[in-house]
Amino acid sequence: MTKETLIISVKGNPLAGQAQALTEPRWVRWTLITVALLFIALFLLVPLAEVFASALDKGIGYYFDAIREPDALSAVKLTLIAAFFSVVFNSAFGLASAWAIAKFNFPGKNLLITLIDLPFTVSPVVSGLIYVLLFGLQGLLGPWLQAHNLHVIFALPGIVLATIFVTFPFISRELIPLMQEQGSEEEEAAMVLGAGGWQIFWKVTLPNIQWGLLYGVILCNARAMGEFGAVSVVSGHIRGLTNTLPLHVEILYNEYNFTAAFAVASLLTFLAVLTLIAKTVVGMKYEKSRQTPAARLESETA
Amino acid sequence: MSIEVRGLTKHFNGFKAVHNVSAKLETGSLTALLGPSGSGKSTLLRMIAGLEVPDAGEIHLTGREATYASAKERNVGFVFQHYALFKHMNVFENIAFGLRVRKQGEKEIQDRVFELLNLIQLTGYEKRYPSQLSGGQRQRVAVARALAPRPEVLLLDEPFGALDAKVREELREWILRLHEETNMTTLFVTHDQQEAMEVAGRILIMNHGEIEQDGTPIEIFDKPATHFIAQFVGESNFIDTEVSEKGLAVWGPFRFSVNPGLPVKQKIRIYFRPNDVYMTAQFETLQVRAKIAKTRFKGTAIEYKLDIGEDKHISAQVPKGVALASGFKEGQEVYAAITAFHVFPI
């Protein structure tokens, strides 16, 4: 109750949100806004426009030829496969780890939380090398794999593994604080009402974390499609076979085929813009679903 | 359905949350589990509901052992302090949840939910979401949700703790009426003695994981079994002194008759309630002289801090009408006697 009244009183006072004593002089505000806008224009909008301009340099026909070319299509396919697997695997892992960390206490919990962040702190190149060292011919499991005619490095499994590794933390990082904040009272309520484990998961837990999960999936997917370093190490750059979109762009660029490189790059850019839109929409829903009931009641009546 | 626990024990990392607790609640009884926070009352309730697994001891529901039974087999209704309503489901679906997981027919579910909506006086609210309800309405929905699968026992964990005083009062009345209508075995946890006294026919007082007293509200109030209960239930003065001669203790001008079995020089603590201090403006009988040091308005009564000399103070409570008629005021000389008290050796 006290929480509700507190929020109302803060929002009821128009000066409370932006105390006048803290308002900067006009010239400071305008300088800061100008600097920020110039920065965005210079470092984001100009390159973005340049990508599309260069891509369309030789006309729209050439543009479509460049992205319909078999090697480009195979790169798109490979990128989508790698992104799909990393989203599926990391969703499952993210849910499992967030569930374990948020709802239970066990020895090694802090270690697990730290390890989840590892892919963020390790350079992607190193992440790729780990797999080469593990599965490569000179590696730990290489001879065994070769004896059984299994290909990991310079093949699809290696690319998928490397992508999963670098996108590992996105979903669990999103879900852990969310699930910790929600606690397990609703799950307990469902349990005493007679629901089984899966019923509790599908009917209570998942609906409560759906927006957070989707948000994590979008971030994970974006990173999976754009990943360069780790994939570059394990892929072997075989055209039409083990090239993802970012690698294909690099190859085209290195061959001085700038227009084609930018055409393919524009695909990635396009995906990035889509991701940004999806992220914003989901982010808004997510914020709304996270609001406390009291705050939501207030925002509805306001 | 009756609830019986025998030697129930639960430790958390060496902390004795519940220790060797035994109690039996008869079918149709309404019992309060009263205690300060951390006394283990919620843990005991949660073990009965199957939300915590006991380390030792047994739980019997209707004479059947249910210590490790699943929540479904126990068939208990549980109401949480913070409602724990399903945020993403509307009122109808919240109440229907327990019926849906039991795979009941749509027609039966509809009938049962509307019957309960009527019972909690929220007909017409079935499409609302929990966030669109007030605290009191949410808690009523939580009770309806717990009742939907027709449990044999209703357990409530600090059910009114998060509500403001007025709504609490209404819900207490409502729970009492509900109990009269359904006659369901009900056990509720509270740290509010007023609530326990008003609602329950029987009170179990817990402290440090053990039941210290089990009795009716009157027994608990008038015959506290331990130190802890004497100071926890109701307001109390307490004074530390010793047995000065066989059957007698003296503190300032007051003389207390104590159990003659207590040895002389035994240290004792004497508890007495402020409203057991008989205070008059004129000397009547067996009273001591005192001076009103401070007055405090308590709504239906007025509390006086009395200076009885030798730097000793006691507090006395007088019903407002009597106090106003007598015209007591600060600094006035009055006469006081202690009419009821409890002695515990320390």
Side-chain angles (χ1 to χ4, degrees), chain B residues 28 47 97 127 167 171 195 209 291 329 343:
Chain B
M47 283 194 282
F97 188 88
K127 295 237 161 59
V167 182
L171 273 184
E195 192 163 285
K291 193 171 150 192
K329 55 185 181 295
V343 179

Side-chain angles (χ1 to χ4, degrees), chain A residues 130-149:
Chain A
I130 293 170
Y131 287 98
V132 173
L133 290 175
L134 205 58
F135 299 116
L137 271 183
Q138 321 295 326
L140 208 60
L141 300 171
W144 185 87
L145 286 170
Q146 208 190 17
H148 292 80
N149 204 21

Side-chain angles (χ1 to χ4, degrees), chain A residues 13 35 66 69 92 95 106 113 135 149 154 180 186 191 210 229 231 240 249 255 257-258 272-273 275 285 288 292:
Chain A
N13 178 359
V35 168
E69 183 240 347
L95 278 168
F106 51 90
I113 296 175
F135 299 116
N149 204 21
F154 306 149
Q180 275 174 335
E186 284 187 40
M191 194 183 125
Q210 57 186 350
V231 171
V249 172
E255 289 168 349
N257 195 347
F258 297 134
V273 174
T275 304
K285 295 250 184 201
K288 210 171 160 190
T292 61

Side-chain angles (χ1 to χ4, degrees), chain A residues 179-260:
Chain A
M179 286 172 101
Q180 275 174 335
E181 178 189 304
Q182 288 184 337
S184 35
E185 260 207 340
E186 284 187 40
E187 279 83 2
E188 288 184 341
M191 194 183 125
V192 275
L193 285 166
W198 284 110
Q199 280 175 318
I200 293 174
F201 178 75
W202 287 110
K203 292 185 175 198
V204 177
T205 309
L206 199 59
N208 274 339
I209 57 164
Q210 57 186 350
W211 293 112
L213 179 62
L214 194 54
Y215 195 79
V217 163
I218 289 169
L219 294 179
C220 171
N221 183 54
R223 179 66 198 269
M225 292 195 296
E227 176 53 26
F228 179 84
V231 171
S232 175
V233 176
V234 295
S235 125
H237 304 263
I238 308 164
R239 270 197 178 196
L241 218 52
T242 64
N243 261 352
T244 61
L245 272 180
L247 301 184
H248 190 59
V249 172
E250 191 207 15
I251 288 185
L252 290 172
Y253 188 84
N254 287 345
E255 289 168 349
Y256 303 103
N257 195 347
F258 297 134
T259 313

Side-chain angles (χ1 to χ4, degrees), chain B residues 198-251:
Chain B
E198 275 179 34
V199 177
R202 180 175 164 202
I203 300 176
L204 304 177
I205 300 193
M206 282 193 79
N207 189 32
H208 296 309
E210 293 178 47
I211 293 182
E212 292 215 353
Q213 193 169 3
D214 172 355
T216 64
I218 293 178
E219 282 168 1
I220 301 255
F221 197 82
D222 287 344
K223 295 190 191 99
T226 62
H227 278 286
F228 164 74
I229 292 166
Q231 51 91 21
F232 180 68
V233 177
E235 292 174 71
S236 267
N237 288 289
F238 66 87
I239 51 182
D240 287 341
T241 179
E242 56 180 39
V243 178
S244 47
E245 56 190 87
K246 190 174 154 69
L248 184 76
V250 175
W251 183 74

Side-chain angles (χ1 to χ4, degrees), chain B residues 58-328:
Chain B
E58 290 173 14
I59 299 166
H60 293 256
L61 301 173
T62 324
R64 230 177 19 198
E65 159 138 36
T67 316
Y68 303 104
S70 73
K72 212 173 195 164
E73 291 161 341
R74 284 174 208 242
N75 199 20
V76 300
F78 197 97
V79 177
F80 294 82
Q81 178 178 6
H82 299 288
Y83 331 119
L85 291 176
F86 305 124
K87 292 190 276 296
H88 61 281
M89 293 183 201
N90 62 26
V91 169
F92 184 98
E93 288 304 323
N94 262 286
I95 299 176
F97 188 88
L99 306 171
R100 292 210 192 283
V101 298
R102 283 176 172 77
K103 309 252 183 292
Q104 297 208 353
E106 197 56 39
K107 177 77 177 66
E108 288 165 67
I109 293 177
Q110 288 251 348
D111 290 349
R112 181 70 179 144
V113 173
F114 282 106
E115 182 193 336
L116 285 162
L117 279 168
N118 188 37
L119 179 77
I120 60 169
Q121 295 146 11
L122 283 178
T123 310
Y125 283 71
E126 61 270 15
K127 295 237 161 59
R128 301 260 190 122
Y129 281 84
S131 59
Q132 298 166 313
L133 302 176
S134 71
Q137 289 170 334
R138 277 180 221 163
Q139 196 54 298
R140 273 164 24 215
V141 173
V143 173
R145 181 180 67 178
L147 292 176
R150 302 183 193 279
E152 293 168 275
V153 169
L154 186 60
L155 306 172
L156 305 106
D157 189 3
E158 301 263 6
F160 318 124
L163 301 166
D164 60 44
K166 189 86 195 119
V167 182
R168 265 171 107 116
E169 193 67 35
E170 283 170 22
L171 273 184
R172 261 184 228 170
E173 291 292 317
W174 182 73
I175 286 284
L176 262 175
R177 254 183 296 134
L178 185 76
H179 181 255
E180 274 162 25
E181 280 166 34
T182 59
N183 211 27
M184 198 185 304
T185 313
T186 306
L187 177 61
F188 76 99
V189 158
T190 181
H191 64 267
D192 180 344
Q193 38 165 312
Q194 192 72 27
E195 192 163 285
M197 300 264 176
E198 275 179 34
V199 177
R202 180 175 164 202
I203 300 176
L204 304 177
I205 300 193
M206 282 193 79
N207 189 32
H208 296 309
E210 293 178 47
I211 293 182
E212 292 215 353
Q213 193 169 3
D214 172 355
T216 64
I218 293 178
E219 282 168 1
I220 301 255
F221 197 82
D222 287 344
K223 295 190 191 99
T226 62
H227 278 286
F228 164 74
I229 292 166
Q231 51 91 21
F232 180 68
V233 177
E235 292 174 71
S236 267
N237 288 289
F238 66 87
I239 51 182
D240 287 341
T241 179
E242 56 180 39
V243 178
S244 47
E245 56 190 87
K246 190 174 154 69
L248 184 76
V250 175
W251 183 74
F254 288 107
R255 297 160 72 82
F256 299 90
S257 61
V258 299
N259 183 351
L262 290 171
V264 174
K265 294 272 173 202
Q266 165 76 49
K267 294 223 176 301
I268 53 172
R269 182 168 284 178
I270 300 172
Y271 292 90
F272 56 96
R273 305 211 180 275
N275 55 357
D276 285 334
V277 175
Y278 181 62
M279 182 176 137
T280 54
Q282 304 297 323
F283 179 81
E284 289 183 4
T285 173
L286 293 172
Q287 287 164 308
V288 306
R289 189 197 289 245
K291 193 171 150 192
I292 299 177
K294 216 172 219 161
T295 64
R296 194 149 69 105
F297 182 58
K298 306 266 288 182
T300 55
I302 295 178
E303 189 177 277
Y304 299 98
K305 191 177 176 196
L306 300 181
D307 181 348
I308 54 165
E310 298 172 39
D311 209 20
K312 291 185 163 70
H313 295 88
I314 61 170
S315 67
Q317 238 179 55
V318 179
K320 193 167 66 181
V322 177
L324 293 178
S326 312
F328 294 131

